[in-house]
Structures are given as C-alpha cells and as structure tokens.
Amino acid sequence: MRLTAAGKVIVLVLVLGVAAGGWKLWQRFGGSLVPEKQGEQSTVPNRADLPEGGSTTGGTGAPVTLPGSDPGCTDKPEVRMLGYAWNAQMGIHFANGGPQATRGSLMCKHGVNFKWARQDDNGKLTEALVTFATELSRGNAQPVKGTHFVTIMGDGGAAFLKGLNDALRKLGPEYTAKIVGVAGYSRGEDKFMGPADWKANPIASRGGLCAGVLRDGDWNIAQKWLGDNGLRTNPDEKTWDPDALNWVNSNDYIDAAQKYIAGYSEDRPVVRNGKRTGETKHVTVNAVVTWTPGDVQVAQKKGGLVSIVSTKEYSSQMPCVIIGIDKWMKQNRATVQGMLQSIGEGGDAIKSSPAALKRAAEVSAAVYKESGSGADYWEKYFKGTQEKDATGQMVDLGGSSVNNLADSLLSFGLVSGSANLVATTYKVFGDIVVQQYPNLVPNYPSPSQIIDTSYMQALSSQAPQQAIAAVKPTYSKASSTPKSVVSKKAWNIHFDSGKATLAGDSKRVLDQLRRDILVAGGTVVEIHGHTDNAGSADANMKLSEERAFAVKSWLQSQSPVNFPKERVTVFSHGQTNPVASNSSDSGRAQNRRVEVVLRSTAQ
C-alpha cells in the first residue's frame, strides 16, 4: 500500500515522536522526506561487539509426535503473535501445527491457544502491540485487538524498542515491551553479497555501491564487516565516495536484489572527506545486502556475487527475539512459560526429526503465503545450500537455526561461563545506529530495561545438563585447516614494560576485543603478537608469544564457554613484521601490537 505525501509526513512525525516508533516506516519513507545531509563525511562504523551464537547441533533425541491438523484447545484464551517470513521460526510453526494451534500440538499440550500471522512491516508490528497494550490499560484482561507478541531481528531491537516504548510510556511503566525469548537465529541466509575479489581483499570494496534497506539487519552485517576491517561507510546515499562503501536505499530486501539484477545506476556527486570535489560519477549497483529469498533471486537471475560475510560467520548477530507487553506477561506467567516451553520443544523436534522439519515447512508455506515458495522451498533454505548461480559460480544460499530450551538459556547467558548474546547484540547495534544517525535515534533503553530472563530461568529445569552441554559451541583444532579470513584487526593492548603482564588500563580495550570477536561465532581466532625492535630479536620473539598467550588466557577466563581452548591459536612474530618505522616513539608504539585474525570455520 502506498501512502500519500501528507500521509508520509504524518507517519514520520509519529515515528520520530511517541505514537508509533515504527523503524520499518522510517526505512521505507524517512529517507525521501528527510534525506541525509549531503557531503557528510564517511566513517568507519563502530565495532559491532557481540558474543557468539549457540550450537546448531541435533536435539535431545526425545520422541517426536507430529501435531494434528484440526483446531485444538479453543477453550483457552487466544494468544496471538506476528512475525516476518523467516526460517528461524520453524520451531514455532512445528509447536503450533498450523496458523492456529492444532489438536495434539505442543502449544495445546502446554495450554496455549496460539495463533501466528505474517507481518513484515515493523511499523505495523509496533501498532499491533500498542493497540493491545491500550486495550489492556482500559481494563480488558484478555484483549482481542492487537497482538500479544511479535518477533523481530534482535540486532534491530534497540531502534524498534526505542520507538515502541516511547509510545507505550503514555500508558504507564508497567506497559513496557520486553524481550522474553529467542526462537532461533539466522545462520547464513542474511548476508552481504559482493564481487569475489572483495572477499579476498576487503579494500577492493572501496567505491562500491551496495543496495539494501538502510539501518536494517542486513545493512548491519555490512557495517560489522566494514568495522572489522577498518573500512569506511558513506552514510549519504546521495553522493559517491571512492574511499568508502556507498549505498542505494531499497524499499525492502527483495527490491535490493532486484536493483542488482536490473543493473540500477545513478549519476552522483563525488565526495572526499565529506567535501564535494565538483566531479560527477556514473555508478552501478555491484553489491547487495539481503536475505532469503533475495539471495536466491540474485543467484538465479543474474549471479556474479558471492557471500562476503553472513550470519553464518556472525552467528550471534540475528536472534529471532520474542517481545511482549510486561504487564500482561506478568499477569499470565504460566501462559508465557507454556508458550516458550512449546517453542523450545518445537525447536528440539526440528533438530531431532526430519519429519518434524518437513511438517514445520508445510506450516511455513501456509502462513507465509510467499508466491512460488512451497514447503520444499522453506525446508531447503532453512538447511542452507550451495548452488551454482547464473554464471556457474558456487554460492551459499539460505541457512537458519531453531532454539531448543538449552539454546535459549545459552542465548541469555544463563549457562555458567557464557555471555548474554541477546543483550550484547541489542546494545552494540544500537550504538551503531546512534553513531551514524544521532538525530533519528539519539538514545535507546538499556538492555536491563527491556530484557526479562525470569521466564527462561523458570524453565531452566526443563533443559537437562546433557542438553546444555550439547549446545555449547565446539570447534575443531583452530590451526588444522587454513580457511578464508573474515577480518584482521590490530589492537593496542598495553602491557607492563618488557613484560607480558596486562597493564591496568588495558581492560577497556580487552573488553572491546572480547565482544568484537565473539560476534563471529562461526570463526576460529588467531592472536598474533608483535613487538618493536628494542632489545634482542630472540627476547622479542619470546615476549610477543607470552603477550599473545596473555590475551588468550584473559579471553578464556572471561567467557570459557565462548572461548574453548581449541578455538584460539597463538602466533609470535617478535620484531619481524613492523607496520611503521622503529626510528620514532610513535612508530615503535604502532609496532607493539596484537593482531587478531578471524577465519571462517566453513570450508
């Protein structure tokens, strides 16, 4: 549906004010109404520091009973959820048995008359939650208008919840929207696609033109990759910077793919360091950020692009988070826990049983109603695959995972020695949006204000220790097989002079390092130690090794679940690889460094 110009203005005011908070509405209309300041200087995005994702291994092996097809538990109050067309929700669909909970389904087993419907527009998700909360505030204990829950991509949670909770604040603090569950993760289907030489040499992406929905989850993937590799992004989609990655805003993720397929071009003013040069450049889209089925369309209709990086490597970036209204959830705790338990058991069934996945794919086809996409399609791209594109080149397509209860405990940091993936994901991508668009999103609620783990904690006894052990991340020997480099970054970590003892002021940098590499759960880690040329070559070689080991030990002490010993390998280079002249203090300071290389675990 298209809005009139006046309607767009009204929507934008609501988004930026307190009434709607719809992030997708800004993505769709805001750029045309309030374009970014032309000539704004390109920047290196903030480092997106996230803990790694959980395992995608098999389930507990509990017996799986397929749900029926007839309506069930209709004597219970209806519980509604809206969400995107996204394969990470397979566990929800199996647990429900259909669009409405069916007889013999897990939802009915746990007393939840659940109804699921597709909604790809975050603005309408916001509207549905506000409608529900408003009815609740009027004394309707079980509102029939609006929706009880929504699912969104967790890396967009800060912007979404900022607008939503600004709108809900009028009703009172007890109506705050909170994250209470994780249904699954994107594990490859959301990706940054570009020419193969960009993957081999990230610097080659300078001057590229990428189509995508700006300030969205797939855009976040590219921002993370740019930050990892010290490269710039140009936030002004009206200009072209030869030293940065440039952007074309798209209406949605399918439009992004179509812009590449069609060879979309523009004439743009050239900028350097935020200033126009007076030149004009004819530029054509040569990269895309998208998700399935956008990546499938790129491969089948044109080809020529590879997956530069995706949620396969950045495996904690995109949790499928479940959001509800705090007051209703507290008043209906047993129902919320029953829903989350059903989703966890549904995820476990998907992991354990091909028949369960097939049934979930049938439900996906029924509820998504995507043209030309039947159950076989959703099952195939849930698993992820490699196919030849239109040029004959092999490309990675699709890939998502579901959470069982143990996965969700790991996601919220409720497993001893693990980090809270959801909270960190929420924060670091919120920081990126604030950094690049401070007028649009000047701030957002803290993780402690919008994440409630009490429901999952209450269910923790339902996940036995062997199930928790099964979902902890595992890695083959880090140095066993050379794999493609995802990122390479130098860190200025301070040590006591001539020693491998971490200096007192190093904690901030180390914390940033830990978060930065933990986002990429699908990688192994190399820590390379370097020194300046002060002292003997042999002593410097030994010192660089000891310092690299000190960093490894610190990481493992902070997050042992996320940093098993086989994930991290240490390399010592001493004074042999300077990046600056050792003839000056500043040059020697640059040479005293730790470099961290992340390599994909995928073959």
Side-chain angles (χ1 to χ4, degrees):
M1 179 182 71
R2 297 281 184 182
L3 293 180
T4 65
K8 292 182 182 181
V9 172
I10 292 171
V11 170
L12 181 62
V13 170
L14 292 176
V15 171
L16 298 180
V18 298
W23 184 238
K24 283 286 185 184
L25 293 178
W26 167 262
Q27 293 168 335
R28 185 171 297 178
F29 304 128
S32 63
L33 293 168
V34 187
E36 291 299 319
K37 185 189 303 180
Q38 293 196 2
E40 186 172 355
Q41 186 171 351
S42 62
T43 60
V44 177
N46 279 350
R47 290 163 173 159
D49 308 330
L50 289 171
E52 66 183 277
S55 171
T56 57
T57 57
T60 61
V64 175
T65 301
L66 298 182
S69 56
D70 295 331
C73 55
T74 54
D75 58 317
K76 304 289 185 183
E78 188 176 83
V79 176
R80 299 176 297 280
M81 178 181 286
L82 298 176
Y84 313 143
W86 184 8
N87 267 325
Q89 295 160 147
M90 283 284 195
I92 297 176
H93 296 327
F94 178 80
N96 213 35
Q100 189 103 23
T102 63
R103 187 174 300 168
S105 68
L106 292 167
M107 287 291 184
C108 283
K109 171 186 171 183
H110 294 292
V112 185
N113 179 19
F114 191 78
K115 183 178 181 179
W116 197 94
R118 176 178 178 177
Q119 180 51 256
D120 293 339
D121 189 322
N122 276 15
K124 293 190 180 298
L125 296 179
T126 295
E127 180 184 348
L129 283 171
V130 171
T131 297
F132 179 88
T134 301
E135 289 295 305
L136 187 66
S137 72
R138 292 171 177 169
N140 298 324
Q142 298 296 336
V144 297
K145 295 181 180 179
T147 191
H148 299 67
F149 297 96
V150 302
T151 59
I152 66 165
M153 295 177 288
D155 57 325
F160 179 82
L161 285 162
K162 161 64 175 171
L164 172 59
N165 282 327
D166 279 354
L168 292 171
R169 189 176 297 120
K170 296 183 301 180
L171 304 176
E174 67 271 29
Y175 295 94
T176 299
K178 293 190 175 182
I179 296 171
V180 294
V182 178
Y185 283 84
S186 172
R187 290 279 161 78
E189 71 171 278
D190 292 80
K191 56 174 61 73
F192 170 36
M193 304 179 76
D197 63 330
W198 292 14
K199 186 164 188 168
N201 180 23
I203 292 175
S205 68
R206 289 175 176 170
L209 184 64
C210 187
V213 180
L214 302 190
R215 303 166 286 276
D216 193 20
D218 300 323
W219 175 83
N220 279 337
I221 293 172
Q223 299 303 305
K224 161 72 176 162
W225 181 81
L226 292 166
D228 278 354
N229 289 284
L231 299 172
R232 291 180 175 272
T233 185
N234 178 11
D236 181 358
E237 63 250 41
K238 304 299 182 183
T239 63
W240 180 77
D241 187 336
D243 299 317
L245 184 62
N246 302 275
W247 294 92
V248 169
N249 198 12
S250 304
N251 293 331
D252 54 45
Y253 68 103
I254 296 297
D255 182 47
Q258 292 301 319
K259 279 185 165 58
Y260 169 73
I261 293 166
Y264 179 86
S265 299
E266 290 182 356
D267 292 318
R268 291 190 175 187
V270 178
V271 295
R272 286 186 182 272
N273 297 319
K275 296 181 179 179
R276 297 197 181 197
T277 66
E279 303 169 280
T280 299
K281 178 76 172 178
H282 185 75
V283 291
T284 302
V285 169
N286 59 349
V288 177
V289 288
T290 190
W291 54 303
T292 305
D295 60 342
V296 178
Q297 293 183 8
V298 165
Q300 294 179 351
K301 295 184 178 181
K302 185 173 183 177
L305 302 183
V306 301
S307 176
I308 304 296
V309 71
S310 73
T311 49
K312 183 181 293 184
E313 293 84 15
Y314 297 161
S315 61
S316 77
Q317 176 179 332
M318 208 167 284
C320 179
V321 296
I322 299 168
I323 298 173
I325 302 300
D326 190 37
K327 181 174 182 177
W328 185 88
M329 292 190 294
K330 286 179 176 177
Q331 292 174 344
N332 297 271
R333 183 170 289 273
T335 300
V336 177
Q337 289 174 191
M339 178 190 72
L340 294 175
Q341 185 169 356
S342 301
I343 293 170
E345 291 178 5
D348 199 68
I350 297 292
K351 290 167 176 277
S352 303
S353 167
L357 175 57
K358 182 176 179 62
R359 179 59 186 276
E362 292 170 353
V363 177
S364 294
V367 296
Y368 296 154
K369 300 177 182 178
E370 184 75 21
S371 176
S373 303
D376 291 346
Y377 179 97
W378 294 108
E379 180 178 356
K380 175 181 179 180
Y381 291 113
F382 169 81
K383 296 176 181 176
T385 185
Q386 282 196 332
E387 296 178 11
K388 285 186 177 181
D389 70 6
T391 69
Q393 142 179 278
M394 294 299 294
V395 292
D396 294 324
L397 300 174
S400 275
S401 69
V402 291
N403 272 17
N404 60 18
L405 290 176
D407 288 311
S408 292
L409 294 176
L410 191 67
S411 295
F412 285 111
L414 299 176
V415 174
S416 178
S418 67
N420 188 327
L421 286 69
V422 177
T424 315
T425 299
Y426 170 87
K427 184 177 187 308
V428 298
F429 285 105
D431 289 346
I432 285 180
V433 172
V434 170
Q435 175 211 18
Q436 296 196 32
Y437 301 98
N439 293 328
L440 176 61
V441 186
N443 54 64
Y444 58 88
S446 69
S448 62
Q449 293 175 301
I450 56 83
I451 296 176
D452 185 349
T453 63
S454 65
Y455 303 93
M456 290 308 310
Q457 287 175 313
L459 295 174
S460 61
S461 62
Q462 305 297 321
Q465 288 302 308
Q466 61 266 29
I468 294 174
V471 302
K472 289 182 179 180
T474 58
Y475 299 86
S476 58
K477 181 64 178 175
S479 59
S480 60
T481 307
K483 299 178 176 69
S484 62
V485 173
V486 175
S487 67
K488 181 179 181 180
K489 189 185 307 177
W491 296 81
N492 186 19
I493 299 171
H494 294 164
F495 295 86
D496 292 339
S497 179
K499 300 179 181 179
T501 307
L502 293 164
D505 62 352
S506 62
K507 186 178 185 304
R508 179 187 59 82
V509 178
L510 285 167
D511 279 337
Q512 189 174 14
L513 167 65
R514 179 179 66 89
R515 295 189 303 267
D516 191 57
I517 62 179
L518 281 175
V519 61
T523 63
V524 291
V525 182
E526 297 177 0
I527 301 177
H528 296 256
H530 300 266
T531 69
D532 59 25
N533 67 346
S536 71
D538 288 345
N540 283 333
M541 187 65 72
K542 183 174 184 294
L543 180 60
S544 68
E545 180 182 52
E546 291 173 345
R547 286 179 170 177
F549 267 112
V551 173
K552 176 182 178 179
S553 298
W554 186 88
L555 292 171
Q556 291 175 327
S557 71
Q558 297 298 305
S559 304
V561 167
N562 308 108
F563 286 102
K565 62 181 180 180
E566 64 271 15
R567 187 185 182 196
V568 186
T569 303
V570 163
F571 296 86
S572 57
H573 302 275
Q575 63 192 46
T576 61
N577 292 326
V579 293
S581 172
N582 279 304
S583 62
S584 67
D585 289 343
S586 62
R588 286 191 293 274
Q590 292 181 61
N591 292 330
R592 296 190 298 269
R593 69 195 189 278
V594 170
E595 287 183 344
V596 175
V597 176
L598 302 183
R599 294 187 182 273
S600 172
T601 58
Q603 295 292 344

